Amino acid sequence: MLNPPEHQVAGHDARLGGLGPLADGSGRFFKPLQSCSRGDNELSFYTSFSSDPRVPPSVRRRFFPSFHGTQLLPASDSSGPKPHLVLQDLTSQFTRPSIIDFKIGSRTWPPSSPSDYIDKCFKKDRETTSLTLGFRVSGLQIHESGDAYYKPSRDEIRSYGHDDVRRIVRRFVSDSGLASAVYGGSDGILAQLLELKSWFEDQTIYHFYSASVMVMYDKEGVENGRSGPAVKLVDFAHVVEGDGVIDHNFLGGLCSLIKFVSEVLTDPDGEGEGRRMKAKKGGTENGK
Amino acid sequence: MLNPPEHQVAGHDARLGGLGPLADGSGRFFKPLQSCSRGDNELSFYTSFSSDPRVPPSVRRRFFPSFHGTQLLPASDSSGPKPHLVLQDLTSQFTRPSIIDFKIGSRTWPPSSPSDYIDKCFKKDRETTSLTLGFRVSGLQIHESGDAYYKPSRDEIRSYGHDDVRRIVRRFVSDSGLASAVYGGSDGILAQLLELKSWFEDQTIYHFYSASVMVMYDKEGVENGRSGPAVKLVDFAHVVEGDGVIDHNFLGGLCSLIKFVSEVLTDPDGEGEGRRMKAKKGGTENGK
């Protein structure tokens, strides 16, 4: 039985009747190959990445969904059978996950893109926080209580400014009261982001344009020690060859995100933030 | 007695009869305030930076020219007296310095720039290596022997591709046979770049668009232990406030440069480079 994934926060959504990913509820995620060259590009990335001897197995295992080839499946939009990437369902280990999807990079387009594609992406990079922060939030859900989630609309997320992003990065862990357990510690999100950063300081194999870093955890899982917070990379339709150069665009954005996360740990009550907002807005409250 | 600086490798050049910097030959460098808002912007950067308590004194001392206010001086283009920034002459401690000026950042324009300025810079970022490498070479001289320097023309430098940049980063230290003494060691250029990087991972005060990292050393000085290699930041006409966000654009480019420098140390004979070029060009030689 394939259904739209329960905890999808960004990307094409099969629940709206369109073409989107499906999940089997027992650990597999099926992503239809996108149109144009994107689908082929994502497939060749997964194929080459999963067997590239230059990628440390620990990096592959820790930060990437596992890849199990492709499969012809009835498409979610009833358009008939379509090839799907067969991937690990990253949220299947969690019961009620809190998730943020950060699209990383001040620039979401590869330098070799056609100029109309550049124009389109560049416009969106400037309208969102991508250009200024080096990343943007592209989806999120924060578990509140029972089966309730805080899950703002796409339009709301698209309008986020710096203070909104800061507020979300904080709220992600403060609603559950688990800031230090989720962001901190030797296996926390900050430690994982720093490990990912080390790899990006060195690797010159791939440039990850328009890819996302998903951070997630399950409140109950963290509290009872059964599942830890996780950091995963997804969305590889615009990955290109690195050609001996590091992915400075991704790395810069990742460092910016790391700074946001670490500020929640160094300033747990958000006092610095309050001061900055006050100074900027002459004393008004809302983080927006 | 003021004269055009002997070892200037980039920027406006007073030797060509235009408006450019002057030096007094005993440690001071006089930079005319640039037109439009650039001059004012650079002056306010130096003024605020030199007294900002958030800047660690070690960072200021190690990586920035010292600033001694402004002074009205006869301009180099004989246009009459003009205000000049009074700065430390960074090369005055060297007899025959080898210097590379790297303009850092995949993007050389602040997000708030007027659109015609963005277009102009963006075009140049795409025509040079800025977009793809996260930095470009904007000037250089490499001391050869006696009073001879390898000093390519501006047009030649402007046409540099990836392999040219790689070749220059290597040649900078291989002509003198001092690769490990200049790039390596606890006080070498790599160690200094890494120290600078640490600051950029943390500081959210300034964003350094279109600023340069100058790396330099004097062969004789290194050999007799009288002067070490140095890393300095210059050109602050497009610095803007960081507003609580790290300078991911500068940091990404700096990390890319660090990777280029470290490859000279890990692969002293350039064998990996040779292999890459061979693979790419089907066996042809030239690094260009």
Side-chain angles (χ1 to χ4, degrees):
Chain A
M1 267 294 288
L2 298 182
N3 286 300
E6 202 181 344
H7 300 296
Q8 192 185 339
V9 299
H12 301 281
D13 191 339
R15 272 164 300 198
L16 307 172
L19 185 62
L22 299 165
D24 66 3
S26 56
R28 296 263 161 131
F29 184 91
F30 303 89
K31 183 175 181 180
L33 283 190
Q34 292 179 259
S35 58
C36 309
S37 57
R38 294 177 198 191
D40 293 342
N41 204 39
E42 187 156 31
L43 173 56
S44 37
F45 168 75
Y46 272 113
T47 309
S48 104
F49 180 79
S50 51
S51 65
D52 193 316
R54 296 168 296 177
V55 178
S58 60
V59 165
R60 186 159 35 218
R61 239 188 343 257
R62 185 153 207 183
F63 297 116
F64 291 82
S66 56
F67 169 62
H68 311 279
T70 59
Q71 202 173 316
L72 263 186
L73 290 172
S76 63
D77 62 354
S78 316
S79 61
K82 273 215 158 55
H84 287 64
L85 297 167
V86 185
L87 303 168
Q88 176 190 4
D89 182 352
L90 298 170
T91 62
S92 68
Q93 56 166 321
F94 299 125
T95 318
R96 292 187 188 85
S98 293
I99 305 172
I100 313 181
D101 178 304
F102 296 103
K103 194 184 276 279
I104 305 291
S106 149
R107 180 155 53 80
T108 57
W109 45 274
S112 57
S113 310
S115 70
D116 55 338
Y117 184 74
I118 295 181
D119 291 347
K120 201 185 92 182
C121 296
F122 190 37
K123 184 165 178 283
K124 201 157 176 190
D125 295 345
R126 292 174 70 175
E127 285 168 356
T128 63
T129 64
S130 291
L131 194 74
T132 52
L133 292 189
F135 66 89
R136 65 179 179 247
V137 174
S138 55
L140 75 111
Q141 66 176 29
I142 302 177
H143 178 235
E144 295 195 309
S145 61
D147 285 325
Y149 291 88
Y150 172 64
K151 192 169 180 176
S153 72
R154 289 184 183 212
D155 282 348
E156 187 176 338
I157 292 174
R158 208 169 286 144
S159 75
Y160 278 180
H162 290 195
D163 293 337
D164 301 302
V165 174
R166 223 177 274 281
R167 177 175 53 82
I168 288 299
V169 170
R170 184 173 291 278
R171 180 166 177 178
F172 182 64
V173 290
S174 63
D175 278 11
S176 63
L178 290 173
S180 63
V182 172
Y183 282 165
S186 62
D187 245 354
I189 282 175
L190 181 59
Q192 293 186 48
L193 291 173
L194 290 171
E195 192 188 327
L196 186 62
K197 170 182 169 239
S198 292
W199 185 58
F200 271 92
E201 285 171 345
D202 187 54
Q203 75 88 13
T204 61
I205 321 170
Y206 302 106
H207 286 191
F208 292 86
Y209 293 104
S210 204
S212 284
V213 160
M214 273 172 70
V215 300
M216 49 201 154
Y217 75 99
D218 181 74
K219 191 184 177 202
E220 213 182 279
V222 169
E223 281 172 342
N224 64 24
R226 247 172 293 176
S227 69
V231 168
K232 298 284 179 182
L233 261 74
V234 295
D235 294 341
F236 307 119
H238 302 283
V239 173
V240 298
E241 281 188 26
D243 206 19
V245 177
I246 66 161
D247 188 353
H248 47 86
N249 176 64
F250 189 99
L251 178 58
L254 183 62
C255 290
S256 179
L257 174 59
I258 285 170
K259 181 72 175 170
F260 273 68
V261 168
S262 65
E263 277 173 355
V264 176
L265 289 169
T266 54
D267 177 18
D269 303 321
E271 285 173 7
E273 232 162 275
R275 270 200 303 279
R276 182 165 43 231
M277 276 190 257
K278 259 196 174 149
K280 237 163 60 181
K281 321 239 160 169
T284 54
E285 282 296 319
N286 188 348
K288 225 181 149 175
Chain B
M1 266 295 287
L2 300 182
N3 286 300
E6 202 180 344
H7 301 295
Q8 193 186 338
V9 298
H12 301 280
D13 191 339
R15 273 165 299 199
L16 307 171
L19 185 63
L22 300 165
D24 66 2
S26 55
R28 296 262 162 131
F29 184 91
F30 304 89
K31 183 175 181 179
L33 284 190
Q34 290 178 261
S35 57
C36 310
S37 57
R38 294 177 198 191
D40 292 342
N41 204 40
E42 187 156 29
L43 173 57
S44 35
F45 168 76
Y46 272 113
T47 309
S48 104
F49 180 80
S50 53
S51 65
D52 192 315
R54 295 168 298 176
V55 178
S58 59
V59 165
R60 186 159 34 220
R61 239 189 341 259
R62 184 151 207 184
F63 297 115
F64 290 82
S66 57
F67 170 61
H68 311 280
T70 58
Q71 201 174 316
L72 263 187
L73 289 173
S76 63
D77 62 356
S78 316
S79 61
K82 275 214 157 52
H84 287 63
L85 297 166
V86 185
L87 303 168
Q88 176 191 2
D89 182 352
L90 298 169
T91 62
S92 67
Q93 55 166 320
F94 299 124
T95 318
R96 292 187 189 84
S98 293
I99 305 172
I100 312 180
D101 178 304
F102 297 102
K103 192 183 280 278
I104 304 293
S106 148
R107 180 156 51 81
T108 58
W109 45 274
S112 57
S113 310
S115 70
D116 56 338
Y117 184 74
I118 295 181
D119 292 346
K120 202 184 92 182
C121 296
F122 190 37
K123 184 164 178 283
K124 201 156 178 190
D125 294 346
R126 292 175 68 175
E127 286 168 355
T128 63
T129 64
S130 291
L131 194 73
T132 52
L133 293 188
F135 67 89
R136 64 179 179 246
V137 174
S138 57
L140 74 110
Q141 66 176 29
I142 301 178
H143 178 235
E144 295 195 310
S145 61
D147 286 324
Y149 291 89
Y150 173 62
K151 192 170 181 176
S153 72
R154 289 184 183 211
D155 282 347
E156 188 177 338
I157 292 174
R158 207 168 287 143
S159 75
Y160 277 179
H162 290 195
D163 292 337
D164 302 301
V165 173
R166 224 176 273 280
R167 178 176 52 83
I168 288 299
V169 169
R170 186 173 291 277
R171 180 166 178 176
F172 183 64
V173 290
S174 63
D175 278 11
S176 63
L178 289 172
S180 63
V182 172
Y183 282 164
S186 63
D187 244 356
I189 281 175
L190 181 59
Q192 294 185 49
L193 291 173
L194 289 171
E195 191 187 327
L196 186 62
K197 170 181 169 241
S198 292
W199 185 58
F200 270 92
E201 285 171 345
D202 187 55
Q203 75 89 12
T204 62
I205 323 169
Y206 302 106
H207 286 191
F208 292 86
Y209 293 104
S210 205
S212 284
V213 160
M214 275 174 70
V215 300
M216 51 200 152
Y217 74 100
D218 182 74
K219 189 185 178 200
E220 212 182 280
V222 169
E223 281 171 343
N224 64 25
R226 246 172 291 177
S227 69
V231 168
K232 298 284 179 181
L233 262 74
V234 296
D235 294 341
F236 307 118
H238 302 283
V239 174
V240 299
E241 281 187 26
D243 206 18
V245 177
I246 66 161
D247 189 352
H248 47 88
N249 176 64
F250 189 98
L251 178 58
L254 183 61
C255 290
S256 179
L257 174 59
I258 285 171
K259 180 72 174 171
F260 273 68
V261 168
S262 64
E263 277 173 355
V264 175
L265 289 169
T266 53
D267 177 17
D269 303 320
E271 284 172 8
E273 230 162 278
R275 268 199 306 277
R276 184 165 40 232
M277 276 189 258
K278 258 194 176 151
K280 235 165 58 184
K281 321 238 161 166
T284 55
E285 283 296 319
N286 188 345
K288 228 188 147 169

